[in-house]
Structures are given as structure tokens and as C-alpha cells.
Amino acid sequence: MFNVMKNKANIALNKIHQLIGKSPPPDPTEPLNSCASKYEAIIANIPAAIEALQNGNPEFAEQAADDTA
């Protein structure tokens, strides 16, 4: 489950960075940067959720997964 979330977030983040590089008028850089920061947070939370599950702490894993939402 977490690997699917991470893969989808990485795909979206890569697309955002592609769009930032093109920057056609009007300049979408600011909204895209905002969106990218949200996906970066998702990607950062997934390893914590996986580690929590592996360490037998499902409550923390659930919180980390909720943070990604």
C-alpha cells in the first residue's frame, strides 16, 4: 500500500517538475512549487509509516499515513 502511494507521489512530483521547467505564460511556477512541496511531504512521511509498521507501532503508521492525506 505504501509503495503504491510513494510511486504515485513520485510520478506526480516528477510531472510537476517537468511543468515547472516549461513555464508557459502565465507563469505557473508558484502554484506548482506549492503543489510540489505537498508531494515532497507525502514522500517524506511514507518511510516513517513503513518503519512504524515494521516496528509494531500501527498507531504511528496510521498517523503518518493520515499526514500524507
Side-chain angles (χ1 to χ4, degrees):
M1 175 178 80
F2 290 113
N3 286 334
V4 172
M5 290 170 52
K6 185 175 181 178
N7 288 339
K8 288 184 178 187
N10 275 316
I11 290 168
L13 187 58
N14 288 335
K15 183 64 178 177
I16 291 165
H17 287 297
Q18 288 174 358
L19 292 170
I20 289 172
K22 293 180 181 178
S23 295
D27 185 12
T29 304
E30 186 176 333
L32 288 170
N33 282 331
S34 174
C35 191
S37 71
K38 290 172 179 59
Y39 277 95
E40 289 164 353
I42 290 169
I43 293 166
N45 279 325
I46 290 172
I50 292 169
E51 183 178 345
L53 282 176
Q54 292 171 338
N55 292 331
N57 190 349
E59 294 85 13
F60 185 81
E62 182 178 6
Q63 182 61 48
D66 287 344
D67 289 348
T68 65

Short mmCIF file of all heavy atoms in Angstrom, two decimals:
data_model
loop_
_atom_site.label_atom_id
_atom_site.label_comp_id
_atom_site.label_asym_id
_atom_site.label_seq_id
_atom_site.Cartn_x
_atom_site.Cartn_y
_atom_site.Cartn_z
N MET A 1 0.83 -1.19 0.00
CA MET A 1 0.00 0.00 0.00
C MET A 1 0.87 1.26 0.00
O MET A 1 0.66 2.15 -0.79
CB MET A 1 -0.92 -0.01 1.21
CG MET A 1 -1.72 1.27 1.34
SD MET A 1 -2.87 1.33 2.71
CE MET A 1 -1.82 1.73 4.05
N PHE A 2 1.86 1.30 0.92
CA PHE A 2 2.69 2.50 0.99
C PHE A 2 3.56 2.66 -0.25
O PHE A 2 3.81 3.78 -0.68
CB PHE A 2 3.55 2.48 2.26
CG PHE A 2 2.76 2.66 3.51
CD1 PHE A 2 2.65 1.65 4.44
CD2 PHE A 2 2.12 3.86 3.76
CE1 PHE A 2 1.92 1.82 5.59
CE2 PHE A 2 1.38 4.05 4.91
CZ PHE A 2 1.28 3.03 5.84
N ASN A 3 4.01 1.54 -0.82
CA ASN A 3 4.82 1.64 -2.03
C ASN A 3 4.01 2.21 -3.18
O ASN A 3 4.53 2.98 -3.99
CB ASN A 3 5.41 0.28 -2.40
CG ASN A 3 6.53 -0.12 -1.48
OD1 ASN A 3 7.20 0.73 -0.91
ND2 ASN A 3 6.75 -1.40 -1.34
N VAL A 4 2.74 1.85 -3.27
CA VAL A 4 1.87 2.39 -4.31
C VAL A 4 1.70 3.90 -4.11
O VAL A 4 1.80 4.68 -5.06
CB VAL A 4 0.50 1.69 -4.31
CG1 VAL A 4 -0.47 2.37 -5.25
CG2 VAL A 4 0.65 0.23 -4.69
N MET A 5 1.49 4.30 -2.85
CA MET A 5 1.35 5.74 -2.54
C MET A 5 2.62 6.48 -2.92
O MET A 5 2.57 7.56 -3.54
CB MET A 5 1.04 5.95 -1.06
CG MET A 5 -0.33 5.50 -0.64
SD MET A 5 -0.58 5.49 1.16
CE MET A 5 -0.07 7.11 1.65
N LYS A 6 3.77 5.91 -2.54
CA LYS A 6 5.04 6.57 -2.82
C LYS A 6 5.29 6.67 -4.32
O LYS A 6 5.72 7.71 -4.82
CB LYS A 6 6.17 5.82 -2.14
CG LYS A 6 7.52 6.50 -2.27
CD LYS A 6 8.60 5.78 -1.48
CE LYS A 6 9.91 6.51 -1.62
NZ LYS A 6 10.96 5.87 -0.84
N ASN A 7 5.01 5.59 -5.06
CA ASN A 7 5.20 5.62 -6.51
C ASN A 7 4.32 6.67 -7.17
O ASN A 7 4.77 7.41 -8.04
CB ASN A 7 4.93 4.24 -7.11
CG ASN A 7 6.02 3.24 -6.78
OD1 ASN A 7 7.14 3.61 -6.45
ND2 ASN A 7 5.69 1.97 -6.87
N LYS A 8 3.06 6.72 -6.78
CA LYS A 8 2.15 7.72 -7.36
C LYS A 8 2.59 9.13 -7.02
O LYS A 8 2.52 10.04 -7.86
CB LYS A 8 0.72 7.46 -6.91
CG LYS A 8 0.12 6.23 -7.55
CD LYS A 8 -1.33 6.04 -7.17
CE LYS A 8 -1.90 4.83 -7.88
NZ LYS A 8 -3.33 4.68 -7.68
N ALA A 9 3.04 9.34 -5.78
CA ALA A 9 3.51 10.67 -5.38
C ALA A 9 4.76 11.05 -6.16
O ALA A 9 4.90 12.20 -6.60
CB ALA A 9 3.79 10.70 -3.88
N ASN A 10 5.67 10.10 -6.38
CA ASN A 10 6.87 10.39 -7.16
C ASN A 10 6.53 10.71 -8.60
O ASN A 10 7.13 11.62 -9.20
CB ASN A 10 7.85 9.21 -7.10
CG ASN A 10 8.74 9.26 -5.88
OD1 ASN A 10 9.26 10.31 -5.54
ND2 ASN A 10 8.91 8.14 -5.23
N ILE A 11 5.59 10.00 -9.18
CA ILE A 11 5.16 10.28 -10.56
C ILE A 11 4.58 11.69 -10.65
O ILE A 11 4.92 12.46 -11.56
CB ILE A 11 4.14 9.23 -11.03
CG1 ILE A 11 4.83 7.88 -11.23
CG2 ILE A 11 3.43 9.68 -12.32
CD1 ILE A 11 3.88 6.71 -11.42
N ALA A 12 3.73 12.04 -9.69
CA ALA A 12 3.14 13.38 -9.70
C ALA A 12 4.21 14.45 -9.50
O ALA A 12 4.21 15.48 -10.20
CB ALA A 12 2.08 13.49 -8.61
N LEU A 13 5.13 14.21 -8.59
CA LEU A 13 6.19 15.19 -8.34
C LEU A 13 7.07 15.37 -9.57
O LEU A 13 7.43 16.50 -9.92
CB LEU A 13 7.03 14.76 -7.13
CG LEU A 13 8.07 15.75 -6.64
CD1 LEU A 13 7.44 17.09 -6.27
CD2 LEU A 13 8.81 15.17 -5.44
N ASN A 14 7.40 14.28 -10.25
CA ASN A 14 8.19 14.39 -11.47
C ASN A 14 7.45 15.20 -12.54
O ASN A 14 8.05 16.03 -13.23
CB ASN A 14 8.55 13.01 -12.01
CG ASN A 14 9.59 12.31 -11.16
OD1 ASN A 14 10.38 12.96 -10.48
ND2 ASN A 14 9.59 10.99 -11.20
N LYS A 15 6.16 14.98 -12.67
CA LYS A 15 5.36 15.74 -13.65
C LYS A 15 5.34 17.22 -13.28
O LYS A 15 5.46 18.09 -14.16
CB LYS A 15 3.94 15.18 -13.70
CG LYS A 15 3.07 15.85 -14.73
CD LYS A 15 3.60 15.63 -16.14
CE LYS A 15 2.69 16.26 -17.16
NZ LYS A 15 3.20 16.13 -18.52
N ILE A 16 5.20 17.52 -12.00
CA ILE A 16 5.22 18.92 -11.54
C ILE A 16 6.52 19.58 -11.93
O ILE A 16 6.54 20.70 -12.45
CB ILE A 16 4.98 18.99 -10.02
CG1 ILE A 16 3.54 18.58 -9.69
CG2 ILE A 16 5.29 20.39 -9.48
CD1 ILE A 16 3.30 18.28 -8.22
N HIS A 17 7.65 18.89 -11.68
CA HIS A 17 8.95 19.46 -12.02
C HIS A 17 9.10 19.65 -13.54
O HIS A 17 9.70 20.62 -13.98
CB HIS A 17 10.08 18.62 -11.45
CG HIS A 17 10.22 18.76 -9.96
ND1 HIS A 17 10.55 19.94 -9.33
CD2 HIS A 17 10.04 17.86 -8.97
CE1 HIS A 17 10.58 19.77 -8.04
NE2 HIS A 17 10.27 18.50 -7.78
N GLN A 18 8.52 18.75 -14.33
CA GLN A 18 8.53 18.93 -15.78
C GLN A 18 7.76 20.18 -16.16
O GLN A 18 8.20 20.97 -17.01
CB GLN A 18 7.91 17.72 -16.48
CG GLN A 18 8.76 16.48 -16.45
CD GLN A 18 8.01 15.28 -17.05
OE1 GLN A 18 6.85 15.37 -17.44
NE2 GLN A 18 8.69 14.15 -17.09
N LEU A 19 6.60 20.38 -15.54
CA LEU A 19 5.78 21.56 -15.85
C LEU A 19 6.47 22.84 -15.42
O LEU A 19 6.39 23.86 -16.12
CB LEU A 19 4.41 21.43 -15.18
CG LEU A 19 3.50 20.34 -15.73
CD1 LEU A 19 2.27 20.17 -14.84
CD2 LEU A 19 3.08 20.66 -17.16
N ILE A 20 7.15 22.80 -14.29
CA ILE A 20 7.89 23.99 -13.83
C ILE A 20 8.96 24.35 -14.86
O ILE A 20 9.16 25.52 -15.17
CB ILE A 20 8.51 23.75 -12.44
CG1 ILE A 20 7.41 23.71 -11.37
CG2 ILE A 20 9.54 24.84 -12.11
CD1 ILE A 20 7.88 23.29 -10.00
N GLY A 21 9.61 23.35 -15.42
CA GLY A 21 10.66 23.60 -16.40
C GLY A 21 10.15 24.23 -17.68
O GLY A 21 10.84 24.99 -18.33
N LYS A 22 8.91 23.95 -18.04
CA LYS A 22 8.33 24.51 -19.27
C LYS A 22 7.84 25.93 -19.06
O LYS A 22 7.99 26.77 -19.93
CB LYS A 22 7.20 23.62 -19.78
CG LYS A 22 7.69 22.27 -20.25
CD LYS A 22 6.56 21.40 -20.74
CE LYS A 22 7.10 20.05 -21.17
NZ LYS A 22 6.06 19.15 -21.61
N SER A 23 7.20 26.18 -17.94
CA SER A 23 6.71 27.50 -17.53
C SER A 23 6.14 28.36 -18.67
O SER A 23 6.62 29.45 -18.94
CB SER A 23 7.81 28.28 -16.81
OG SER A 23 8.14 27.65 -15.62
N PRO A 24 5.09 27.89 -19.34
CA PRO A 24 4.48 28.75 -20.37
C PRO A 24 3.69 29.88 -19.72
O PRO A 24 3.28 29.77 -18.57
CB PRO A 24 3.52 27.78 -21.08
CG PRO A 24 3.16 26.79 -20.03
CD PRO A 24 4.37 26.65 -19.16
N PRO A 25 3.48 30.98 -20.44
CA PRO A 25 2.67 32.06 -19.87
C PRO A 25 1.24 31.60 -19.66
O PRO A 25 0.73 30.85 -20.49
CB PRO A 25 2.74 33.16 -20.94
CG PRO A 25 3.84 32.76 -21.86
CD PRO A 25 4.03 31.28 -21.73
N PRO A 26 0.54 31.99 -18.64
CA PRO A 26 1.09 32.69 -17.47
C PRO A 26 1.95 31.74 -16.64
O PRO A 26 1.76 30.53 -16.65
CB PRO A 26 -0.15 33.09 -16.68
CG PRO A 26 -1.18 32.08 -17.04
CD PRO A 26 -0.88 31.69 -18.47
N ASP A 27 2.90 32.30 -15.94
CA ASP A 27 3.89 31.53 -15.18
C ASP A 27 3.22 30.72 -14.07
O ASP A 27 2.69 31.27 -13.11
CB ASP A 27 4.92 32.49 -14.59
CG ASP A 27 6.04 31.75 -13.90
OD1 ASP A 27 6.15 30.52 -14.08
OD2 ASP A 27 6.82 32.40 -13.19
N PRO A 28 3.26 29.38 -14.18
CA PRO A 28 2.63 28.52 -13.17
C PRO A 28 3.59 28.11 -12.05
O PRO A 28 3.27 27.27 -11.24
CB PRO A 28 2.23 27.30 -13.99
CG PRO A 28 3.34 27.17 -14.98
CD PRO A 28 3.70 28.61 -15.33
N THR A 29 4.77 28.73 -12.01
CA THR A 29 5.81 28.27 -11.10
C THR A 29 5.36 28.29 -9.64
O THR A 29 5.55 27.31 -8.92
CB THR A 29 7.08 29.11 -11.27
OG1 THR A 29 7.48 29.03 -12.63
CG2 THR A 29 8.21 28.61 -10.40
N GLU A 30 4.74 29.36 -9.18
CA GLU A 30 4.36 29.45 -7.76
C GLU A 30 3.35 28.37 -7.37
O GLU A 30 3.57 27.65 -6.38
CB GLU A 30 3.82 30.84 -7.44
CG GLU A 30 3.54 31.02 -5.96
CD GLU A 30 3.09 32.43 -5.63
OE1 GLU A 30 3.45 33.37 -6.35
OE2 GLU A 30 2.36 32.57 -4.64
N PRO A 31 2.25 28.19 -8.10
CA PRO A 31 1.32 27.13 -7.73
C PRO A 31 1.94 25.74 -7.84
O PRO A 31 1.67 24.86 -7.01
CB PRO A 31 0.15 27.26 -8.69
CG PRO A 31 0.30 28.58 -9.37
CD PRO A 31 1.72 29.00 -9.20
N LEU A 32 2.78 25.53 -8.84
CA LEU A 32 3.42 24.23 -8.99
C LEU A 32 4.41 23.96 -7.86
O LEU A 32 4.51 22.84 -7.37
CB LEU A 32 4.11 24.12 -10.35
CG LEU A 32 3.18 23.98 -11.55
CD1 LEU A 32 3.95 24.12 -12.85
CD2 LEU A 32 2.45 22.65 -11.51
N ASN A 33 5.14 24.98 -7.43
CA ASN A 33 6.05 24.81 -6.30
C ASN A 33 5.28 24.46 -5.03
O ASN A 33 5.72 23.64 -4.23
CB ASN A 33 6.89 26.07 -6.07
CG ASN A 33 8.03 26.18 -7.06
OD1 ASN A 33 8.54 25.19 -7.55
ND2 ASN A 33 8.44 27.40 -7.35
N SER A 34 4.12 25.08 -4.84
CA SER A 34 3.28 24.77 -3.69
C SER A 34 2.82 23.31 -3.74
O SER A 34 2.87 22.58 -2.75
CB SER A 34 2.07 25.71 -3.66
OG SER A 34 1.18 25.33 -2.64
N CYS A 35 2.41 22.89 -4.91
CA CYS A 35 1.97 21.51 -5.11
C CYS A 35 3.14 20.54 -4.88
O CYS A 35 2.99 19.50 -4.23
CB CYS A 35 1.39 21.36 -6.50
SG CYS A 35 0.52 19.82 -6.79
N ALA A 36 4.30 20.88 -5.39
CA ALA A 36 5.47 20.02 -5.23
C ALA A 36 5.83 19.85 -3.76
O ALA A 36 6.17 18.75 -3.34
CB ALA A 36 6.66 20.61 -6.00
N SER A 37 5.72 20.90 -2.98
CA SER A 37 6.06 20.79 -1.56
C SER A 37 5.12 19.82 -0.84
O SER A 37 5.54 19.11 0.07
CB SER A 37 6.06 22.16 -0.88
OG SER A 37 4.75 22.66 -0.75
N LYS A 38 3.88 19.78 -1.27
CA LYS A 38 2.93 18.83 -0.66
C LYS A 38 3.30 17.39 -1.01
O LYS A 38 3.26 16.51 -0.15
CB LYS A 38 1.51 19.16 -1.09
CG LYS A 38 1.00 20.46 -0.47
CD LYS A 38 -0.32 20.88 -1.06
CE LYS A 38 -0.86 22.14 -0.44
NZ LYS A 38 0.00 23.31 -0.54
N TYR A 39 3.68 17.14 -2.26
CA TYR A 39 4.09 15.80 -2.64
C TYR A 39 5.40 15.41 -1.97
O TYR A 39 5.61 14.25 -1.62
CB TYR A 39 4.18 15.67 -4.16
CG TYR A 39 2.83 15.40 -4.77
CD1 TYR A 39 2.05 16.42 -5.28
CD2 TYR A 39 2.32 14.11 -4.81
CE1 TYR A 39 0.80 16.18 -5.81
CE2 TYR A 39 1.07 13.85 -5.34
CZ TYR A 39 0.32 14.89 -5.84
OH TYR A 39 -0.93 14.65 -6.36
N GLU A 40 6.31 16.36 -1.78
CA GLU A 40 7.55 16.06 -1.07
C GLU A 40 7.25 15.64 0.36
O GLU A 40 7.91 14.73 0.90
CB GLU A 40 8.47 17.27 -1.11
CG GLU A 40 9.06 17.51 -2.50
CD GLU A 40 9.67 18.88 -2.68
OE1 GLU A 40 9.56 19.74 -1.79
OE2 GLU A 40 10.27 19.09 -3.76
N ALA A 41 6.26 16.27 1.00
CA ALA A 41 5.86 15.88 2.35
C ALA A 41 5.29 14.47 2.37
O ALA A 41 5.56 13.68 3.28
CB ALA A 41 4.85 16.88 2.91
N ILE A 42 4.50 14.14 1.37
CA ILE A 42 3.93 12.79 1.27
C ILE A 42 5.06 11.77 1.18
O ILE A 42 5.09 10.78 1.92
CB ILE A 42 3.01 12.66 0.04
CG1 ILE A 42 1.73 13.47 0.25
CG2 ILE A 42 2.70 11.20 -0.27
CD1 ILE A 42 0.88 13.62 -1.00
N ILE A 43 6.00 12.03 0.30
CA ILE A 43 7.11 11.10 0.09
C ILE A 43 7.95 10.97 1.36
O ILE A 43 8.44 9.88 1.68
CB ILE A 43 7.94 11.54 -1.13
CG1 ILE A 43 7.10 11.39 -2.40
CG2 ILE A 43 9.24 10.75 -1.24
CD1 ILE A 43 7.67 12.07 -3.63
N ALA A 44 8.10 12.04 2.10
CA ALA A 44 8.88 12.00 3.34
C ALA A 44 8.16 11.20 4.44
O ALA A 44 8.82 10.58 5.27
CB ALA A 44 9.16 13.42 3.82
N ASN A 45 6.83 11.21 4.47
CA ASN A 45 6.09 10.51 5.52
C ASN A 45 5.99 9.01 5.29
O ASN A 45 5.82 8.25 6.25
CB ASN A 45 4.67 11.09 5.65
CG ASN A 45 4.64 12.35 6.46
OD1 ASN A 45 5.38 12.52 7.40
ND2 ASN A 45 3.76 13.27 6.08
N ILE A 46 6.08 8.57 4.07
CA ILE A 46 5.89 7.15 3.78
C ILE A 46 6.94 6.26 4.46
O ILE A 46 6.58 5.26 5.07
CB ILE A 46 5.81 6.91 2.26
CG1 ILE A 46 4.48 7.49 1.76
CG2 ILE A 46 5.92 5.44 1.91
CD1 ILE A 46 4.32 7.51 0.26
N PRO A 47 8.23 6.58 4.42
CA PRO A 47 9.19 5.72 5.12
C PRO A 47 8.92 5.63 6.63
O PRO A 47 9.11 4.58 7.23
CB PRO A 47 10.55 6.39 4.85
CG PRO A 47 10.35 7.15 3.59
CD PRO A 47 8.92 7.62 3.65
N ALA A 48 8.47 6.72 7.23
CA ALA A 48 8.14 6.69 8.66
C ALA A 48 6.98 5.75 8.94
O ALA A 48 6.99 5.01 9.93
CB ALA A 48 7.81 8.10 9.15
N ALA A 49 6.00 5.75 8.07
CA ALA A 49 4.86 4.85 8.23
C ALA A 49 5.28 3.40 8.08
O ALA A 49 4.87 2.54 8.86
CB ALA A 49 3.77 5.20 7.22
N ILE A 50 6.12 3.12 7.09
CA ILE A 50 6.60 1.75 6.88
C ILE A 50 7.41 1.29 8.09
O ILE A 50 7.23 0.17 8.60
CB ILE A 50 7.42 1.66 5.58
CG1 ILE A 50 6.52 1.87 4.37
CG2 ILE A 50 8.16 0.32 5.49
CD1 ILE A 50 7.27 2.06 3.06
N GLU A 51 8.30 2.13 8.57
CA GLU A 51 9.13 1.78 9.72
C GLU A 51 8.26 1.52 10.96
O GLU A 51 8.51 0.58 11.71
CB GLU A 51 10.14 2.89 10.01
CG GLU A 51 11.08 2.56 11.15
CD GLU A 51 12.10 3.65 11.40
OE1 GLU A 51 12.30 4.52 10.55
OE2 GLU A 51 12.71 3.61 12.48
N ALA A 52 7.25 2.34 11.15
CA ALA A 52 6.36 2.15 12.29
C ALA A 52 5.64 0.81 12.21
O ALA A 52 5.50 0.11 13.23
CB ALA A 52 5.35 3.29 12.37
N LEU A 53 5.20 0.43 11.03
CA LEU A 53 4.56 -0.88 10.86
C LEU A 53 5.54 -2.00 11.16
O LEU A 53 5.20 -2.98 11.83
CB LEU A 53 4.00 -1.03 9.45
CG LEU A 53 2.68 -0.33 9.17
CD1 LEU A 53 2.32 -0.49 7.70
CD2 LEU A 53 1.58 -0.89 10.05
N GLN A 54 6.75 -1.87 10.66
CA GLN A 54 7.76 -2.90 10.87
C GLN A 54 8.15 -3.03 12.34
O GLN A 54 8.52 -4.11 12.79
CB GLN A 54 8.99 -2.62 10.02
CG GLN A 54 8.74 -2.78 8.54
CD GLN A 54 9.89 -2.30 7.68
OE1 GLN A 54 10.72 -1.50 8.10
NE2 GLN A 54 9.93 -2.78 6.44
N ASN A 55 8.05 -1.93 13.08
CA ASN A 55 8.40 -1.93 14.50
C ASN A 55 7.21 -2.20 15.40
O ASN A 55 7.32 -2.07 16.62
CB ASN A 55 9.06 -0.60 14.89
CG ASN A 55 10.42 -0.44 14.24
OD1 ASN A 55 11.11 -1.42 13.98
ND2 ASN A 55 10.82 0.80 13.99
N GLY A 56 6.07 -2.55 14.82
CA GLY A 56 4.90 -2.91 15.62
C GLY A 56 4.19 -1.72 16.24
O GLY A 56 3.60 -1.84 17.32
N ASN A 57 4.22 -0.58 15.56
CA ASN A 57 3.56 0.62 16.07
C ASN A 57 2.52 1.08 15.05
O ASN A 57 2.70 2.09 14.37
CB ASN A 57 4.60 1.71 16.34
CG ASN A 57 4.02 2.89 17.09
OD1 ASN A 57 2.81 3.01 17.24
ND2 ASN A 57 4.88 3.78 17.56
N PRO A 58 1.40 0.36 14.95
CA PRO A 58 0.41 0.69 13.91
C PRO A 58 -0.24 2.06 14.11
O PRO A 58 -0.64 2.68 13.13
CB PRO A 58 -0.61 -0.44 14.02
CG PRO A 58 -0.46 -0.98 15.39
CD PRO A 58 0.99 -0.79 15.75
N GLU A 59 -0.32 2.53 15.35
CA GLU A 59 -0.92 3.85 15.57
C GLU A 59 -0.09 4.95 14.92
O GLU A 59 -0.62 5.87 14.29
CB GLU A 59 -1.08 4.14 17.07
CG GLU A 59 -2.07 3.23 17.77
CD GLU A 59 -1.45 1.90 18.21
OE1 GLU A 59 -0.21 1.76 18.21
OE2 GLU A 59 -2.23 0.99 18.53
N PHE A 60 1.24 4.86 15.07
CA PHE A 60 2.11 5.86 14.44
C PHE A 60 2.06 5.73 12.92
O PHE A 60 2.07 6.73 12.20
CB PHE A 60 3.54 5.73 14.94
CG PHE A 60 4.45 6.81 14.41
CD1 PHE A 60 4.47 8.06 14.99
CD2 PHE A 60 5.26 6.57 13.31
CE1 PHE A 60 5.29 9.06 14.49
CE2 PHE A 60 6.08 7.56 12.80
CZ PHE A 60 6.09 8.81 13.39
N ALA A 61 2.01 4.49 12.44
CA ALA A 61 1.93 4.26 10.99
C ALA A 61 0.64 4.89 10.44
O ALA A 61 0.67 5.52 9.38
CB ALA A 61 1.97 2.77 10.69
N GLU A 62 -0.44 4.72 11.18
CA GLU A 62 -1.70 5.31 10.74
C GLU A 62 -1.62 6.84 10.73
O GLU A 62 -2.09 7.49 9.81
CB GLU A 62 -2.84 4.86 11.66
CG GLU A 62 -4.19 5.39 11.24
CD GLU A 62 -5.32 4.89 12.14
OE1 GLU A 62 -5.07 4.25 13.15
OE2 GLU A 62 -6.47 5.19 11.79
N GLN A 63 -1.00 7.41 11.76
CA GLN A 63 -0.84 8.86 11.81
C GLN A 63 0.00 9.37 10.65
O GLN A 63 -0.32 10.38 10.02
CB GLN A 63 -0.21 9.30 13.14
CG GLN A 63 -0.07 10.79 13.29
CD GLN A 63 -1.39 11.52 13.22
OE1 GLN A 63 -2.34 11.13 13.89
NE2 GLN A 63 -1.47 12.57 12.45
N ALA A 64 1.10 8.67 10.34
CA ALA A 64 1.94 9.07 9.22
C ALA A 64 1.18 8.97 7.91
O ALA A 64 1.30 9.84 7.05
CB ALA A 64 3.22 8.22 9.18
N ALA A 65 0.37 7.93 7.76
CA ALA A 65 -0.44 7.77 6.55
C ALA A 65 -1.49 8.88 6.48
O ALA A 65 -1.75 9.43 5.41
CB ALA A 65 -1.10 6.41 6.52
N ASP A 66 -2.09 9.21 7.62
CA ASP A 66 -3.06 10.31 7.65
C ASP A 66 -2.40 11.63 7.28
O ASP A 66 -3.00 12.46 6.60
CB ASP A 66 -3.70 10.44 9.03
CG ASP A 66 -4.69 9.34 9.33
OD1 ASP A 66 -5.11 8.63 8.39
OD2 ASP A 66 -5.04 9.17 10.52
N ASP A 67 -1.16 11.84 7.72
CA ASP A 67 -0.44 13.06 7.38
C ASP A 67 -0.23 13.18 5.87
O ASP A 67 -0.20 14.29 5.34
CB ASP A 67 0.91 13.10 8.08
CG ASP A 67 0.78 13.34 9.59
OD1 ASP A 67 -0.32 13.70 10.05
OD2 ASP A 67 1.80 13.14 10.28
N THR A 68 -0.07 12.06 5.19
CA THR A 68 0.09 12.11 3.75
C THR A 68 -1.18 12.53 3.04
O THR A 68 -1.13 13.11 1.96
CB THR A 68 0.57 10.77 3.17
OG1 THR A 68 -0.43 9.80 3.37
CG2 THR A 68 1.87 10.31 3.77
N ALA A 69 -2.30 12.24 3.67
CA ALA A 69 -3.59 12.61 3.07
C ALA A 69 -3.76 14.10 3.17
O ALA A 69 -4.34 14.75 2.36
CB ALA A 69 -4.72 11.89 3.76
#
